[in-house]
Amino acid sequence: MTTMRISQSVGINGVNNPNDIKAVQQALNALLRLIAPTQRLVVDGRLGSRPEQSKTVAAIKLFQQKVVGMVRPDGKVDVNGRTHRKVNEKLSQASASAQTPVSGALKVSLYRNIERYEGRVEHMYLDTKGFATVGVGHLLSNVDEAKKLPFVVNATGQPATAAQIEEEFSRLKKMPYGKDYPASIYKSATKLHLSEQTMDAQIEKHIRQFESELKRIYGADKFAAFPDNVKLALFDMIFNLGMTKLKNTFPNFNRYINAGDYKNAALESSRKDISEERNMYVRNLLANS
Protein backbone atom coordinates (compact mmCIF):
# COMPACT_ATOMS: atom_id res chain seq x y z
CA MET A 1 0.00 0.00 0.00
CA THR A 2 1.61 3.25 -1.12
CA THR A 3 -1.28 5.73 -0.85
CA MET A 4 -4.31 6.07 1.40
CA ARG A 5 -7.28 7.37 -0.60
CA ILE A 6 -10.34 8.60 1.27
CA SER A 7 -13.30 10.54 -0.10
CA GLN A 8 -14.49 12.02 3.20
CA SER A 9 -13.29 12.46 6.76
CA VAL A 10 -12.75 9.56 9.16
CA GLY A 11 -12.74 9.58 12.95
CA ILE A 12 -14.34 11.69 15.68
CA ASN A 13 -17.00 13.94 14.10
CA GLY A 14 -16.08 12.53 10.69
CA VAL A 15 -18.42 11.37 7.92
CA ASN A 16 -17.08 7.84 8.42
CA ASN A 17 -18.01 6.05 5.25
CA PRO A 18 -17.16 2.34 5.65
CA ASN A 19 -14.78 2.25 2.65
CA ASP A 20 -12.91 5.30 3.95
CA ILE A 21 -12.63 3.73 7.41
CA LYS A 22 -11.23 0.57 5.83
CA ALA A 23 -8.64 2.63 3.94
CA VAL A 24 -7.52 4.29 7.19
CA GLN A 25 -7.39 0.95 9.01
CA GLN A 26 -5.28 -0.62 6.24
CA ALA A 27 -2.91 2.35 6.19
CA LEU A 28 -2.41 2.34 9.94
CA ASN A 29 -1.77 -1.41 9.87
CA ALA A 30 1.00 -0.76 7.34
CA LEU A 31 2.54 1.78 9.74
CA LEU A 32 2.24 -0.11 13.03
CA ARG A 33 5.94 0.25 13.78
CA LEU A 34 5.39 4.02 14.08
CA ILE A 35 2.55 3.71 16.59
CA ALA A 36 3.70 0.96 18.96
CA PRO A 37 2.25 -0.68 21.01
CA THR A 38 -0.86 -0.50 18.80
CA GLN A 39 -2.05 -3.95 17.74
CA ARG A 40 -3.15 -4.72 14.20
CA LEU A 41 -6.59 -3.27 13.51
CA VAL A 42 -9.47 -5.33 12.19
CA VAL A 43 -10.25 -3.95 8.73
CA ASP A 44 -14.04 -3.92 9.02
CA GLY A 45 -14.99 -0.34 8.09
CA ARG A 46 -16.49 0.27 11.51
CA LEU A 47 -15.86 2.64 14.38
CA GLY A 48 -18.75 1.47 16.54
CA SER A 49 -21.51 3.54 18.08
CA ARG A 50 -18.99 5.60 20.05
CA PRO A 51 -16.05 6.37 17.69
CA GLU A 52 -14.08 8.06 20.47
CA GLN A 53 -13.72 4.65 22.12
CA SER A 54 -12.73 2.70 19.01
CA LYS A 55 -9.28 1.18 18.52
CA THR A 56 -9.06 2.83 15.11
CA VAL A 57 -9.52 6.31 16.55
CA ALA A 58 -7.02 5.51 19.31
CA ALA A 59 -4.52 4.56 16.58
CA ILE A 60 -5.28 7.79 14.68
CA LYS A 61 -4.64 9.82 17.83
CA LEU A 62 -1.37 8.02 18.55
CA PHE A 63 -0.23 8.59 14.96
CA GLN A 64 -1.12 12.28 15.25
CA GLN A 65 0.80 12.55 18.51
CA LYS A 66 3.91 10.52 17.63
CA VAL A 67 4.28 11.16 13.90
CA VAL A 68 2.36 14.34 13.00
CA GLY A 69 3.46 16.07 16.21
CA MET A 70 0.05 17.27 17.28
CA VAL A 71 -0.08 18.38 20.92
CA ARG A 72 -3.84 17.80 21.05
CA PRO A 73 -4.70 14.95 18.66
CA ASP A 74 -8.30 15.21 17.47
CA GLY A 75 -8.69 11.61 16.26
CA LYS A 76 -9.88 12.70 12.83
CA VAL A 77 -8.40 12.28 9.35
CA ASP A 78 -9.55 15.03 6.99
CA VAL A 79 -9.16 14.65 3.24
CA ASN A 80 -5.75 16.14 2.35
CA GLY A 81 -5.38 17.40 5.92
CA ARG A 82 -2.16 17.21 7.97
CA THR A 83 -2.81 13.68 9.14
CA HIS A 84 -3.78 12.43 5.67
CA ARG A 85 -0.67 13.95 4.09
CA LYS A 86 1.63 12.54 6.79
CA VAL A 87 0.11 9.05 6.47
CA ASN A 88 0.79 9.09 2.72
CA GLU A 89 4.31 10.38 3.26
CA LYS A 90 5.07 7.50 5.62
CA LEU A 91 3.37 4.96 3.34
CA SER A 92 5.56 6.13 0.45
CA GLN A 93 8.69 5.79 2.59
CA ALA A 94 7.65 2.33 3.76
CA SER A 95 7.00 1.22 0.18
CA ALA A 96 10.46 2.41 -0.91
CA SER A 97 12.00 0.60 2.05
CA ALA A 98 10.16 -2.58 1.10
CA GLN A 99 12.01 -2.61 -2.23
CA THR A 100 15.42 -2.10 -0.60
CA PRO A 101 17.35 -5.29 0.21
CA VAL A 102 18.55 -5.93 3.74
CA SER A 103 21.72 -3.93 4.23
CA GLY A 104 23.95 -2.08 6.69
CA ALA A 105 24.17 -3.06 10.35
CA LEU A 106 21.23 -5.44 9.99
CA LYS A 107 23.03 -7.39 7.28
CA VAL A 108 26.22 -7.56 9.36
CA SER A 109 24.23 -8.99 12.29
CA LEU A 110 22.47 -11.40 9.95
CA TYR A 111 25.77 -12.70 8.55
CA ARG A 112 27.26 -13.10 12.01
CA ASN A 113 24.35 -14.99 13.50
CA ILE A 114 23.68 -17.23 10.51
CA GLU A 115 27.31 -18.32 10.52
CA ARG A 116 27.20 -18.74 14.28
CA TYR A 117 24.39 -21.28 14.08
CA GLU A 118 24.87 -22.79 10.62
CA GLY A 119 28.67 -22.85 10.61
CA ARG A 120 31.00 -22.00 7.74
CA VAL A 121 32.54 -25.19 6.38
CA GLU A 122 34.51 -25.26 3.14
CA HIS A 123 34.23 -29.03 2.61
CA MET A 124 31.24 -31.32 2.25
CA TYR A 125 29.90 -32.94 5.43
CA LEU A 126 26.79 -34.69 6.71
CA ASP A 127 24.45 -32.80 8.99
CA THR A 128 22.82 -34.47 11.99
CA LYS A 129 20.10 -35.94 9.74
CA GLY A 130 22.56 -37.30 7.19
CA PHE A 131 22.07 -34.64 4.51
CA ALA A 132 25.15 -33.58 2.57
CA THR A 133 25.93 -29.94 3.35
CA VAL A 134 28.64 -27.40 2.58
CA GLY A 135 29.43 -23.73 3.15
CA VAL A 136 27.03 -21.83 5.43
CA GLY A 137 24.37 -24.48 5.90
CA HIS A 138 23.93 -25.04 2.15
CA LEU A 139 22.02 -28.31 1.73
CA LEU A 140 22.97 -30.58 -1.17
CA SER A 141 19.81 -32.58 -1.78
CA ASN A 142 21.49 -34.74 -4.42
CA VAL A 143 24.73 -35.14 -6.31
CA ASP A 144 23.56 -32.90 -9.14
CA GLU A 145 23.25 -30.01 -6.65
CA ALA A 146 26.82 -30.66 -5.57
CA LYS A 147 28.03 -30.63 -9.19
CA LYS A 148 26.64 -27.11 -9.64
CA LEU A 149 29.15 -25.72 -7.15
CA PRO A 150 32.72 -24.72 -8.13
CA PHE A 151 34.62 -27.09 -5.87
CA VAL A 152 38.41 -26.88 -5.91
CA VAL A 153 40.84 -29.79 -5.53
CA ASN A 154 42.81 -29.37 -2.29
CA ALA A 155 46.06 -30.84 -3.64
CA THR A 156 46.26 -28.86 -6.88
CA GLY A 157 44.05 -25.78 -6.49
CA GLN A 158 42.41 -26.70 -9.79
CA PRO A 159 38.65 -26.83 -10.42
CA ALA A 160 37.16 -30.21 -9.53
CA THR A 161 35.61 -32.29 -12.30
CA ALA A 162 32.05 -33.56 -12.15
CA ALA A 163 33.43 -37.07 -11.62
CA GLN A 164 35.54 -35.94 -8.64
CA ILE A 165 32.55 -34.18 -7.05
CA GLU A 166 30.34 -37.24 -7.57
CA GLU A 167 32.97 -39.54 -6.07
CA GLU A 168 33.33 -37.34 -2.98
CA PHE A 169 29.57 -36.94 -2.54
CA SER A 170 28.97 -40.70 -2.84
CA ARG A 171 31.78 -41.53 -0.43
CA LEU A 172 30.52 -39.07 2.17
CA LYS A 173 26.95 -40.36 1.99
CA LYS A 174 28.18 -43.77 3.16
CA MET A 175 29.72 -42.37 6.32
CA PRO A 176 28.03 -42.29 9.76
CA TYR A 177 26.27 -39.14 10.93
CA GLY A 178 24.43 -37.73 13.94
CA LYS A 179 24.94 -35.38 16.86
CA ASP A 180 28.23 -37.09 17.71
CA TYR A 181 29.64 -36.32 14.26
CA PRO A 182 30.46 -32.61 13.86
CA ALA A 183 31.38 -31.19 10.46
CA SER A 184 35.07 -31.25 11.32
CA ILE A 185 35.01 -35.07 11.48
CA TYR A 186 34.56 -35.23 7.71
CA LYS A 187 37.49 -32.97 6.78
CA SER A 188 40.05 -35.78 6.63
CA ALA A 189 37.77 -37.73 4.27
CA THR A 190 37.44 -34.91 1.75
CA LYS A 191 39.65 -33.80 -1.11
CA LEU A 192 37.62 -30.84 -2.33
CA HIS A 193 36.69 -27.44 -0.92
CA LEU A 194 34.88 -24.20 -1.74
CA SER A 195 36.69 -20.87 -1.84
CA GLU A 196 35.90 -18.09 0.62
CA GLN A 197 34.51 -16.03 -2.26
CA THR A 198 32.15 -18.84 -3.27
CA MET A 199 30.85 -19.21 0.30
CA ASP A 200 30.34 -15.44 0.55
CA ALA A 201 28.36 -15.48 -2.72
CA GLN A 202 26.42 -18.48 -1.47
CA ILE A 203 25.23 -16.75 1.70
CA GLU A 204 24.37 -13.59 -0.28
CA LYS A 205 22.16 -15.71 -2.51
CA HIS A 206 20.50 -17.35 0.50
CA ILE A 207 19.77 -13.99 2.10
CA ARG A 208 18.20 -12.63 -1.09
CA GLN A 209 16.13 -15.78 -1.52
CA PHE A 210 14.91 -15.88 2.07
CA GLU A 211 14.15 -12.16 2.10
CA SER A 212 12.00 -12.64 -1.01
CA GLU A 213 10.22 -15.59 0.61
CA LEU A 214 9.61 -13.72 3.88
CA LYS A 215 8.07 -10.87 1.90
CA ARG A 216 5.81 -13.39 0.18
CA ILE A 217 4.68 -14.79 3.54
CA TYR A 218 4.11 -11.51 5.39
CA GLY A 219 3.88 -8.93 2.60
CA ALA A 220 6.72 -6.70 1.39
CA ASP A 221 5.51 -3.53 3.10
CA LYS A 222 4.81 -5.30 6.37
CA PHE A 223 8.18 -7.09 6.38
CA ALA A 224 9.98 -3.80 5.71
CA ALA A 225 8.19 -2.28 8.71
CA PHE A 226 9.18 -5.03 11.13
CA PRO A 227 11.78 -4.05 13.78
CA ASP A 228 15.29 -5.29 12.99
CA ASN A 229 15.16 -7.86 15.80
CA VAL A 230 12.01 -9.35 14.30
CA LYS A 231 13.65 -9.53 10.87
CA LEU A 232 16.67 -11.32 12.37
CA ALA A 233 14.38 -13.80 14.12
CA LEU A 234 12.41 -14.49 10.93
CA PHE A 235 15.58 -15.00 8.90
CA ASP A 236 16.77 -17.57 11.43
CA MET A 237 13.40 -19.33 11.36
CA ILE A 238 13.22 -19.56 7.56
CA PHE A 239 16.89 -20.51 7.19
CA ASN A 240 16.33 -23.44 9.52
CA LEU A 241 12.79 -24.43 8.48
CA GLY A 242 12.38 -23.35 4.88
CA MET A 243 9.48 -21.32 3.54
CA THR A 244 6.87 -24.09 3.47
CA LYS A 245 7.33 -25.21 7.06
CA LEU A 246 7.49 -21.67 8.41
CA LYS A 247 4.32 -20.71 6.56
CA ASN A 248 2.27 -23.85 7.18
CA THR A 249 3.40 -25.42 10.47
CA PHE A 250 3.65 -22.36 12.73
CA PRO A 251 0.11 -20.88 12.50
CA ASN A 252 0.08 -19.32 15.98
CA PHE A 253 3.55 -17.87 15.51
CA ASN A 254 2.55 -16.26 12.21
CA ARG A 255 -0.72 -14.98 13.62
CA TYR A 256 1.14 -13.18 16.41
CA ILE A 257 3.79 -11.83 14.02
CA ASN A 258 1.06 -10.43 11.75
CA ALA A 259 -0.62 -8.84 14.75
CA GLY A 260 2.61 -7.21 15.90
CA ASP A 261 2.43 -9.24 19.13
CA TYR A 262 6.08 -10.25 19.23
CA LYS A 263 6.13 -11.37 22.86
CA ASN A 264 3.53 -14.05 22.21
CA ALA A 265 5.24 -14.91 18.92
CA ALA A 266 8.37 -15.60 20.98
CA LEU A 267 6.46 -18.22 22.96
CA GLU A 268 5.45 -19.97 19.72
CA SER A 269 8.89 -19.91 18.05
CA SER A 270 10.49 -23.09 19.43
CA ARG A 271 11.73 -25.58 16.85
CA LYS A 272 12.66 -29.22 17.22
CA ASP A 273 16.05 -30.69 16.41
CA ILE A 274 18.04 -27.51 17.06
CA SER A 275 19.93 -26.35 20.11
CA GLU A 276 18.17 -24.66 22.99
CA GLU A 277 20.70 -21.84 22.60
CA ARG A 278 19.44 -21.16 19.07
CA ASN A 279 15.80 -21.29 20.15
CA MET A 280 16.61 -18.90 22.98
CA TYR A 281 18.34 -16.53 20.55
CA VAL A 282 15.12 -16.19 18.51
CA ARG A 283 12.89 -15.97 21.60
CA ASN A 284 15.01 -13.14 23.01
CA LEU A 285 15.00 -11.25 19.71
CA LEU A 286 11.20 -11.33 19.59
CA ALA A 287 10.59 -10.76 23.29
CA ASN A 288 12.75 -7.62 23.20
CA SER A 289 11.21 -6.12 20.05
Side-chain angles (χ1 to χ4, degrees):
M1 184 178 190
T2 58
T3 303
M4 179 180 74
R5 293 184 175 88
I6 55 176
S7 60
Q8 293 179 293
S9 58
V10 172
I12 296 175
N13 296 321
V15 177
N16 293 326
N17 288 325
N19 287 338
D20 291 332
I21 295 173
K22 286 182 181 180
V24 171
Q25 290 167 332
Q26 290 171 336
L28 292 173
N29 280 341
L31 301 172
L32 283 180
R33 67 185 179 88
L34 301 178
I35 51 175
T38 302
Q39 299 295 302
R40 182 163 292 276
L41 302 170
V42 176
V43 181
D44 58 5
R46 299 177 183 177
L47 297 182
S49 60
R50 301 185 67 181
E52 67 275 10
Q53 294 184 355
S54 78
K55 293 180 179 179
T56 299
V57 168
I60 292 171
K61 285 185 174 181
L62 192 57
F63 182 87
Q64 289 175 326
Q65 177 188 344
K66 298 181 72 170
V67 184
V68 183
M70 295 173 63
V71 177
R72 295 182 179 83
D74 61 10
K76 182 182 178 185
V77 183
D78 288 308
V79 179
N80 294 324
R82 288 176 63 194
T83 303
H84 191 181
R85 293 196 303 272
K86 183 61 73 170
V87 165
N88 281 338
E89 175 189 324
K90 294 303 179 182
L91 286 174
S92 178
Q93 291 174 357
S95 180
S97 176
Q99 306 307 317
T100 303
V102 168
S103 60
L106 175 61
K107 193 169 187 177
V108 172
S109 295
L110 184 56
Y111 262 78
R112 182 175 64 248
N113 287 296
I114 286 177
E115 291 193 5
R116 175 183 178 185
Y117 292 113
E118 293 289 341
R120 184 183 177 95
V121 184
E122 65 178 10
H123 57 81
M124 278 190 266
Y125 66 95
L126 300 181
D127 68 10
T128 57
K129 295 182 179 179
F131 294 111
T133 311
V134 70
V136 185
H138 184 76
L139 186 69
L140 302 172
S141 56
N142 53 55
V143 69
D144 289 331
E145 291 299 312
K147 290 178 182 178
K148 293 177 182 177
L149 298 178
F151 281 99
V152 176
V153 179
N154 296 344
T156 65
Q158 296 300 308
T161 64
Q164 288 172 315
I165 294 172
E166 182 171 358
E167 189 277 330
E168 182 133 303
F169 182 93
S170 299
R171 178 160 33 85
L172 230 67
K173 289 291 287 182
K174 296 175 184 177
M175 296 180 68
Y177 60 87
K179 293 183 178 179
D180 295 329
Y181 293 87
S184 57
I185 289 289
Y186 301 93
K187 183 174 178 60
S188 60
T190 60
K191 301 176 182 178
L192 312 177
H193 72 275
L194 294 180
S195 69
E196 294 296 320
Q197 292 85 350
T198 295
M199 289 190 288
D200 286 342
Q202 194 178 70
I203 193 170
E204 282 279 354
K205 182 178 179 180
H206 280 309
I207 289 173
R208 289 195 301 272
Q209 173 190 338
F210 290 137
E211 182 176 5
S212 174
E213 290 176 347
L214 288 169
K215 287 178 178 179
R216 287 166 60 189
I217 294 174
Y218 302 107
D221 290 344
K222 188 186 297 183
F223 179 80
F226 287 148
D228 282 356
N229 275 2
V230 174
K231 290 178 182 176
L232 288 172
L234 292 175
F235 267 110
D236 194 80
M237 295 283 285
I238 200 168
F239 205 110
N240 172 239
L241 296 166
M243 178 180 175
T244 301
K245 283 187 176 180
L246 175 59
K247 182 179 180 180
N248 297 332
T249 65
F250 283 76
N252 291 334
F253 173 83
N254 289 319
R255 177 164 56 85
Y256 287 128
I257 288 290
N258 282 321
D261 186 352
Y262 306 129
K263 288 181 171 53
N264 274 317
L267 301 177
E268 298 289 341
S269 65
S270 292
R271 294 155 287 171
K272 298 179 180 179
D273 301 322
I274 66 168
S275 69
E276 178 56 24
E277 178 191 359
R278 188 169 182 177
N279 271 328
M280 184 62 72
Y281 159 69
V282 168
R283 282 199 296 271
N284 286 339
L285 284 171
L286 293 169
N288 293 312
S289 296

